[in-house]
Amino acid sequence: MGNSYAGQLKSARFEEALHNSIEASLRSSSGDPQPIFTQLYLEPEPCQDGKPKANTTGSDSVNGHSSNDLEEAEEDDDSDSSSPPLPYLQTPAPEGCCTLDGFCQAGKDIRLVSIATESIEVPAGFELVGAKSPSVPEHILVCAVDRRFLPDENGKNALLGFSGNCVGCGEKGFRYFTEFSNHINLKLSTQPKKQKHLKYYLVKNSQGALCKGPLICWKALRVNGPTNGIGVELHPPLLSPSQVSLGPQGQGCRSADLGDSPGTFLPFHLWLFSSWFTLFPASVRCSVSSAMNSGPPKKRHRSWHPSSLVPVPPTAVPVPAIRPIVCSVLAVSSPQPPVSAVIQPQPVTAGETVIIPDNLLNSSGVRPVILIVSTFCGSFPLLVSCYKSSQLTEKTLETLGLHRSQMLSVETTILLTLQYLGRLGPEQIPLREELEQIVLKAMLCCPGSPAITPSQLPWLARLEASVSGGTVQVVVTHSSLGEGISESLRSLREGPRHQRSLPTYVVVICASKMSGNEFCVLVLGKYQARALAEGMLTTNEFLKEISYELITGKVSVLASHFKTTSLGDNLDKQLVRYQRRRKGQVTLPYQGDVPEHFHCQEAASMLPLTDDGCCSLIFQIFPAQLSVARSLLSQVCSIADSGSQNLDLGRFSKVDFLVLVPPSHILVHQTAQRIRQSGVLVDLGNEDVSTASQKSEKYVVRLDSDVHARMEAFMKKVKQNPYTLFVLIHDNAHVDLTSALSGSVCHGELQGLADRVVNCQEVLEALNLLVLQVSCFPYTLQTRQSRISISNEIHWPSAESLLVYFGLRDYSSSLQWGVASPILRCDEAFEKMVLTLLERHSHLHSMVVRSFLLIQQYTEAMMALTSSPSLRDHITPETLAMVEDLINTPSKESSQGCGHMLLVRVPSLQLAMLARERLEDVRDKLGLQLCFAVLLGSPASELSLSRNFISRLKAWRGCENEDWVPHTYEDLEGLPCIVILTGKDPLGETFPRSLKYSDLRLIDSSYLTRTALEQEVGLACTYVSVDAVRDPKLGMACRESDAEKAATSMNDGEELERPHSNGSAATRTSGSLVENGVSSSDIADSFQKPSTSSSHPGDPVTSDIGTLTQVFKQECDSLGSQLSSNPCKASNPSQSTQSGQPPSSPRVSPRTVILSRAAYNLLAGESASQLSSVSLLPHADVSWSSPLRPVFTHDLQGAEQSAHYRQWTVARQHHADYEASPVPHPRRLLLSGPPQVGKTGAYLQLLRLLHRMLIRLLEVDVYDEEEEHEEDGEQHRNSQWPDVEEIRKMPFDPTPRDPKFRKASPVYSPRIPRFFKDLRQEVESQTPTKRLTKSIRLSRFAAHNAFHHCEQCHAYCEAGPAAQLSECTFHAFTFSSSMLGEEVQLQFFIPKAKEKHFVFSQEGSHLECLRLPLVSTKDPDLLKSPIFTPTTGRQEHGLLNLFHAMEGTSHLHILVIKQFEMPHYRKYWPNHILLVLPAMFNNAGVGAARFMIKELSYHNLELERNRLEEQGVKRQDVWPFIVMMDDSCVQWNAHQSADGSPSSTNVSLKSVLQHMENTPKILLYAMCGISKWSSSLASKTPSRPFSRCHLHDFVMLNVDLTQNVQYDLNRYDCEEVDINLRINSSGLLLCRFNNFSLMKKHIPVGGNKDFVVKPKLMEIENPATFIPSQYVCAPDSEQTLLDAPAQFLLERFLLSCSHRLFPKAVRNRNNPVLSIDSYLNLSPEISVCYINSRPHSTNLNHQGLVFSGLLLYLCDSFVVSGLLKKFRFLKGATLCVICQDRSSLRQTIVRLELEDEWQFRLRDEFQTANCSEDRPLYFLTGRHV
């Protein structure tokens, strides 16, 4: 009949298609099934009748077909008829054309090897494909073909005809393949056909080079059942016989690596498994021959449209795409075309063929797994080409302490593998990481192991296998591995199943002389083969497999097995029988001594007594959380301090945030509840108290389909608010890190959303957005490609307090406790039952079997405790104990119905729903519906609880809110319940303290990565009492007995993840950050001031340990007033369940965890000398970067663990970090901490600390010290400017009243101020008081330091992008100083933009002078006075940015610096003019800087007068004032009195200066200044608008009038008091404007600090500190000489030891020390009387004044003996004469005739303790005779 296929009847094919169509129509909701004949005839190519199809079955291929080449089989298959092919006459090429093979007729090379790396332009809609030419079979020719003429992934829907372009010459528009084949010189002898010659898709490899990709699937994919819309088979994926082709193999990887490509499933029962064994890369590739499918007729009926396959209704779940990776099996002979832009299928290389016997599963009861192994040493010839990526680099070898000579030979590797397999237990599976550790140890221990010859290998291998007790067999072949595998599989079918004992492993060794030794492992053990096969699947895939098995009814046999009880009775009938016997009576658990059975209607109306105990505990931030929050803050500051401009904290004034959580409704409620209770929204100022509780959920976003709209709104806010710092918190960041490009819908969940949100370009580029990723299992974020810098990771500290965290490591170590009932258990009885069932149901996934058994166990346990006690012996003790506790605890006396929670983890939603439905049904039939609840905990849904349980929860809480329902698991506190937790992964939900048991018996060998396993056990982690860990035996005994009581049953766990600040009142703590630059080192003592919040009266005091006590008291916010004392009555009743732990709480014990054996072995690994879970691959989305690694131990924690994973793991292709930038993102942080440790509370506290810090950045600490005023009782008219005559009449106040001079000597005046008396008391108490400061908010007119950046002043203080330091011009300025008696050379660094302020010579090279304005100039924007700021050590912290203070007006600001600091100031202030003092002043004090400023200014004034005089300007018209201002002046204020009430406003420096410059008759004043701010000034009007007194810190100095009055250039201290006294005594006017005040910032760094006084000769080891009395010594003495300036030593000596020099003056205000021409600080105990020796000076009337001492300091020629004779001294008064050297000292004594009245002794001569080259100062003391 023509259309027969190798003996297969056409009717059979027709029946199959008919069956498929009928089944599809039954499943289809459309009612419009695809025509049967469409299935039969949609073949891409016609075929002549009668042509037998090659390789129809496995036996045919062996007996009748000799070729192993898949492509040849295809070519045979494509021929048109069974007759010999007709010769094809090719058209000769046009004359002059190129006919060279591999080139097109235009002469362009089109071979793949030649153009693989070239850029080829491919038009839209075209694909690059590879053609094979018979004349050059070794080459692939590159062509561009229209995609419409190529088949889809199912081998269908290719249009007839052809359309292509030549990639060589670029010629386009070939419409016939014949024409095209001629152009590319295929030189065919048969008819050109695209199906025969277009062989491969071409894809780009990781280097971007073009390479051979998958075969083009010209054959339609045949399936034995209906198919869905994406071509995935709804057919048991593991049951079809097939052929397997073996060939070279690429590197193994996880099955998800191929993406979720449709149709890529596994339709046969041989699984190739290599993801466990990257160490031993696959040397075999499997591919299914096309001959496995019987094909349809080859004729095409063109009238039928080749539509897509019948769509499957949404309820049907497709079979999982079981794709065990690159190295495993593909379903069709030709791989699929690329399914996405990211993940490309790898090319399949044809190889040797293995025959898989039919019905192997049914005949042998095992589904074998081939472990494709080889070695990493590269000694296999087969391996060199296909597996280069894992060859160890020299760097890796060096890290491991290995060298090439230590590489194991193939033979040694085989023997090691045999040894390892032989020692595995009957219920252990081989683990890749375990074998890798063995191999590494072998390399390190036995570097010189003897070589094993190929001839020795077989018998050594058999010897090694002989000790395994038959579990390992060795098969040796000499031709190929395929032969050995075929032989082993064939032996599986021999003999009846029950008569033979299969080995667990068969090691096939191919001892080939040609290619060397190769081997692979065939796993035949039923448990091991199943575990390995299931472990190959990703979580998504095995969940799909389970869905498929449930939907298709494959579980019916298993389900029917469980319809009977373990005693053989019908389960449902038993339950119905008992239900009738009850007659509607139900058990009520909380009636105490009353009978326990009530009618269901009566019982439903009963409620337990109200018990506030459940919610009476307070809620708080714990010390560990505070510590972590501070560490995070410190890291944020480090990012800001890094100098990379990645984060500019100075520009932000507010904090906002958004929390991203995995797609779980419960987690959203839980996080929103934490936010609400922390009060953080109110603290940040984002919401007010009334709306905060309603709006908390606005700040939490689920990563589901709605996330894009929410993120778009958030990012819009980020862009619109550049001065707000936003924090995007990605909580549980390890969940779903799939790349957005490979993301898809997997098992109902969207994947790749986190990548789309967190890694989108907008988020990465926003400069005001920090990303904080939070994770309990951060391993997948710690790969080589990690986006987070390792320095930006914060790890949770281990700290003990009343409660200690009990986590994963503690569960493992608890196995050493030796208690009868361990908290980590394996249910051995359950495991034995599972093994028995798995043997019977080998076609089902083990989780399905486990789930049905688990449901039966809980069902029968409930029955055994109520209706059928005889069932007790058939229930595992673990199950019975848990159910008994669940039922009986609520019934105990005084429990009020409170009980425990039992958590059962069922990852599959369908199985979880089945379990919930079944358990609820059994519970209700047994009358237990009021004893405990059964809840389904699904991330996709809210909690659903019956009304009577909600009423009970409300009654316990005394809640009166009718609408209250539980939203989180914590809301179920105390409720006896079974929670069936479903979902792919646990998502971070917190469980209540009443959780007692965590049943993880379904978590088995499918969870073979560290994250997958640990996150399941993490569900039970919590805080426990310290003694429960320190004395575990007592703890467990206590738990088994007393824990049953209701009083303690409520405390089996405690989470710290509870921030507790309640509203803004509780968080008004204002810290004192050291500097508004806030460097990471500055925040160690950030928070000094106590909280102002009021505590609730009932709050228990929490006692803390160690140094955290004080911090805890400051930071833990107490219960605020906006939460009512009865939380359930508040707007959100669910707050009631959150509570902290008071000190008096009962013992809190760890929860009990029940595990499967596979999980138990891994968690107990460290103690049982097996592989531990920490050594597993950290996450399914990453892979090991090297097959050998250092051993990972439990000791690696935190940063060390991160460094290990960053070195040894890489992200897989579908991972979000796979294509991440090589440079980590600067504004991304990672917070890692164990599960349920309190991370939410920590990051919410971080937000609060960030907010406070930003406020602190906008605040500064300014000195707040009230000046002592003398009350004169006079009323002064408040005028705007001073009147010269009035100022002249004012007496000068000689005493420096500023509190900064509180340690300075008072200047004598007839009236003693109270200030003086207070100081005496302070001196007597010997307690130095800290200067008072106050934190104030910076105004818009403030001066700033180098940390300030904003758009306005960007150009003012920062160099432009192209600016170089060379753009500053360097100028020397020389002038002669009469004071110094020599020429002085100063250096100016002048930026180009500031050269306009200077006058240069005509050549432009010589600096002539500084331009000065005219007195008569009237310009509202002009600032006439140049500003000089002497500064040292404050290049970062000095307030040198005056842009805002000057309102952006042009001004002249010159920084006066020391020579050695010049590079630092140039770096930070490139746009400032720098005046560099000569090197001789490097160690000088501030007096030298002020002296040089004044000398330079006067010299410049003269130069400018001369220059302008030539232009006709009067000399007196040149502006003579300069401003000398400290580098700590931060803000200026104006004080006024409006309507009698004082007011204070911030004003700019510009307005203050202009006001002073506009003073009438300004030229008559020598110096003007303003008062010092204090908080008291704001509350009162200044008593007088102007004063004549000391001026300092900020002065406007007339350098013309003060020409002859100089600063003392030697001074380190009090130089301003000194010059003020000089100016006043010279008859000049000083005027202070009291209506303005200056705020001075407290800057703890830099400035003129004390020298570190150390010995001159440093050979003295460990020198003791020197006291001031050692700063002087007798001349020529042996005392240690010091390395410090002489003047500094003298000043410090006088300050500390003047009471020895002037004993009569101590605390004697009536008899001061007479100081002539200078003011020196003799300590606050000694007052001085200043007298100016110059003629015509204005001095104090000293008539009648008797002095207690005389101080002559460097006196000049104006001091004469006649002057001294005018003063009277007390008897015994003392004299101190200080001179530069010994000779001048003696000359002074003689010149002033001092010996007439003063008695001197030789021993009274002293010098400062300097060596002679440091020019010590000498002084002589004497007594008045």
Side-chain angles (χ1 to χ4, degrees), residues 1260-1364:
V1260 289
D1261 288 334
V1262 298
Y1263 292 111
D1264 182 18
E1265 300 162 315
E1266 188 171 2
E1267 189 178 90
E1268 288 292 333
H1269 295 283
E1270 285 206 46
E1271 302 299 330
D1272 57 3
E1274 298 179 26
Q1275 290 294 322
H1276 300 272
R1277 63 184 182 84
N1278 196 356
S1279 58
Q1280 193 174 5
W1281 282 290
D1283 179 85
V1284 174
E1285 298 308 319
E1286 284 189 13
I1287 298 297
R1288 281 192 209 280
K1289 293 173 186 173
M1290 280 184 191
F1292 176 74
D1293 182 3
T1295 300
R1297 298 184 182 277
D1298 191 290
K1300 82 171 184 177
F1301 298 118
R1302 73 169 59 243
K1303 291 188 179 178
S1305 296
V1307 179
Y1308 176 84
S1309 66
R1311 292 178 296 177
I1312 179 170
R1314 283 174 301 160
F1315 180 62
F1316 183 74
K1317 294 173 185 173
D1318 296 341
L1319 277 175
R1320 299 293 72 73
Q1321 294 167 5
E1322 182 188 319
V1323 170
E1324 286 169 13
S1325 68
Q1326 294 298 314
T1327 53
T1329 56
K1330 190 177 179 182
R1331 294 186 65 185
L1332 295 177
T1333 59
K1334 180 173 182 176
S1335 183
I1336 57 111
R1337 188 80 176 259
L1338 291 178
S1339 75
R1340 61 194 181 99
F1341 299 126
H1344 295 279
N1345 58 20
F1347 296 106
H1348 172 80
H1349 306 280
C1350 71
E1351 284 75 2
Q1352 289 91 353
C1353 64
H1354 175 77
Y1356 172 80
C1357 49
E1358 297 174 23
Q1364 300 294 324

Side-chain angles (χ1 to χ4, degrees), residues 1263 1432 1434 1612 1642-1652 1688 1692:
Y1263 292 111
T1432 179
R1434 288 180 177 169
Y1612 287 84
H1642 167 64
I1643 304 178
V1645 296
N1648 288 283
K1649 297 296 177 188
D1650 289 357
F1651 282 85
V1652 177
F1688 175 79
R1692 290 298 176 269

Side-chain angles (χ1 to χ4, degrees), residues 851-1038:
S851 300
F852 273 84
L853 178 60
L854 196 71
I855 293 168
Q856 190 213 33
Q857 283 287 297
Y858 280 114
T859 299
E860 293 192 353
M862 284 189 270
M863 293 173 69
L865 292 167
T866 49
S867 63
S868 310
S870 55
L871 282 171
R872 275 179 176 266
D873 296 338
H874 299 273
I875 304 156
T876 72
E878 306 296 348
T879 313
L880 193 63
M882 290 189 289
V883 177
E884 191 169 14
D885 181 79
L886 186 72
I887 294 174
N888 292 344
T889 300
S891 306
K892 296 202 173 180
E893 198 171 339
S894 77
S895 74
Q896 290 297 325
C898 289
H900 295 129
M901 175 185 284
L902 163 59
L903 181 68
V904 183
R905 179 81 172 102
V906 185
S908 164
L909 177 61
Q910 288 93 335
L911 288 174
M913 292 168 72
L914 183 71
R916 185 255 183 110
E917 184 182 327
R918 186 66 181 150
L919 294 183
E920 248 185 357
D921 180 54
V922 172
R923 180 201 65 178
D924 294 351
K925 285 177 177 173
L926 294 173
L928 300 173
Q929 57 261 52
L930 298 182
C931 282
F932 62 91
V934 180
L935 293 95
L936 179 68
S938 168
S941 58
E942 303 276 2
L943 284 180
S944 174
L945 196 62
S946 63
R947 290 305 310 170
N948 63 301
F949 288 118
I950 294 175
S951 301
R952 195 181 304 179
L953 287 170
K954 287 161 66 175
W956 285 333
R957 289 157 177 74
C959 177
E960 298 173 4
N961 186 340
E962 285 299 318
D963 299 327
W964 183 84
V965 289
H967 287 296
T968 68
Y969 293 122
E970 290 171 300
D971 291 344
L972 306 177
E973 177 67 58
L975 185 71
C977 58
I978 297 176
V979 173
I980 300 167
L981 186 66
T982 187
K984 190 174 77 167
D985 303 295
L987 299 179
E989 298 96 337
T990 299
F991 290 87
R993 292 167 298 145
S994 54
L995 171 63
K996 186 173 182 180
Y997 298 104
S998 182
D999 187 344
L1000 304 178
R1001 286 178 282 185
L1002 298 194
I1003 305 304
D1004 61 352
S1005 52
S1006 296
Y1007 289 76
L1008 283 182
T1009 64
R1010 184 179 179 188
T1011 300
L1013 185 60
E1014 289 185 352
Q1015 68 184 358
E1016 301 291 344
V1017 185
L1019 291 167
C1021 296
T1022 186
Y1023 280 84
V1024 300
S1025 302
V1026 176
D1027 51 353
V1029 180
R1030 288 180 180 159
D1031 190 2
K1033 291 188 180 180
L1034 176 65
M1036 294 316 296
C1038 176

Side-chain angles (χ1 to χ4, degrees), residues 1564 1566 1588 1601-1603 1605 1623-1630 1738:
L1564 299 179
R1588 192 175 176 190
L1601 282 185
T1602 58
Q1603 171 193 355
V1605 184
I1623 291 173
N1624 178 66
S1625 62
S1626 299
L1628 301 175
L1629 291 182
L1630 296 95
T1738 307

Side-chain angles (χ1 to χ4, degrees), residues 1439-1460:
L1439 306 180
L1440 308 176
N1441 177 352
L1442 303 182
F1443 180 85
H1444 300 283
M1446 291 295 191
E1447 302 180 34
T1449 304
S1450 174
H1451 60 280
L1452 178 57
H1453 187 197
I1454 300 173
L1455 307 185
V1456 184
I1457 59 175
K1458 295 180 178 179
Q1459 192 180 61
F1460 73 93

Side-chain angles (χ1 to χ4, degrees), residues 423-462:
R423 293 184 180 181
L424 286 175
E427 289 162 5
Q428 284 183 279
I429 60 172
L431 288 170
R432 164 193 165 167
E433 287 82 7
E434 201 164 19
L435 186 55
E436 286 170 346
Q437 290 184 14
I438 291 169
V439 171
L440 180 60
K441 286 176 186 172
M443 288 181 173
L444 292 169
C445 298
C446 316
S449 56
I452 300 167
T453 63
S455 59
Q456 292 173 319
L457 179 63
W459 66 266
L460 281 174
R462 290 192 177 100

